[in-house]
Amino acid sequence: MSTVVRPRGELLVGVDVGGSKIAVLVTDPTANVRGRYTQSTQVGAPERAVAVIGRAIDAALADAGADLGAVAAVGVGVPGRVDPIEGTVTQAVNLGWHDLPLGPRLAKALGVPVGLENDVRAAAIGLRERRVLGDVEDFAYVSVGTGIAAGIVLDGRLRRGPRGMAGEIGHVVIEPDGPACPCGLRGCLETLAAGPAVARRAADAMASGARSSLAGIDPLAAADVYEAAVAGDALAIRVADDVARLLARAIHLLVMTYDVEVVAVGGGVARAGDAFLDPLLRALDELRDASPLAAEVLVPGVVHLLSAPDTGAWGAIAVARLALGQVAATPVGREVGDG
Ligand SMILES: [Zn+2]
């Protein structure tokens, strides 16, 4: 057990560590926003992580007119496998981190309690805590970004699973002969429908001779494809529709597996808004038209689009609150030990 660090002030700090940015939110105990900071660069090498995240937190606290002395707890969401008890990032492929004890190191550097959680699971906890989806006890939050993953909340509680893998639908095989995935399998959902796959589908079609307004855009991103689809580009519309059919099946899979009431969809790709949502709704209609059973479970409104960029940071705030609860539950005499 690592050293228990006691809270100093009352502010909560949520840090959403993404593949290409760090977003920090500062709130008071009743969830009023007091400060924000976003840096659009990668967090970098593991040995620099504590310093880089610490500077981002300082900037957000400066925006709030506060400093670390006013902080009760910090929550951090990281895209990868996390041991939330030890505060260790087991594996974050997109960040190049492996067995990094980020939680204890940050707590030591900042002098406040720090909670760590997978970013998508954290976002799901945050959606539940803030009742963003209403009084829904059973829901899934699907993040579509660089990868695809889900956070599952059942009976109002996050389902993590004994290995912390519940909801890792990005590595469910959809096409056994599909593209190779870093996990070792082929045709995983995220190799076919995450952001890089959206861009690759368009690039591959153009390489095969298809004409598109996307020609010449380099590097091509999923956002470009959705923008072109809205503008009427036939190739982009086809790509958006093909990807939407796969995502609709993933939503159907989640509903059939867990009988969740709502599937909230967010992440970097979903930020395309209606350009992302409209093809998805059409694809869900195709499933409903084909099957009375699918129509029964895929109720109207089953999909809830979250296009705001701060779902992850609010999730990290919820993780901070959980970290605070754990500290409060630890008897003062038991806080000895060495991280
Ligand atoms: Zn995979």
Side-chain angles (χ1 to χ4, degrees), residues 49 95 99-100 114 143 181 197 233 256 259 271 306:
L95 299 175
D99 290 331
L100 177 66
V114 174
S143 172
C181 180
D233 185 275
M256 292 307 280
D259 200 9
R271 235 160 275 155
L306 298 161

Side-chain angles (χ1 to χ4, degrees), residues 170-173 180-191:
H171 297 285
V172 170
V173 173
C181 180
C183 81
L185 297 172
R186 302 192 77 89
C188 292
L189 176 64
E190 69 178 39
T191 68

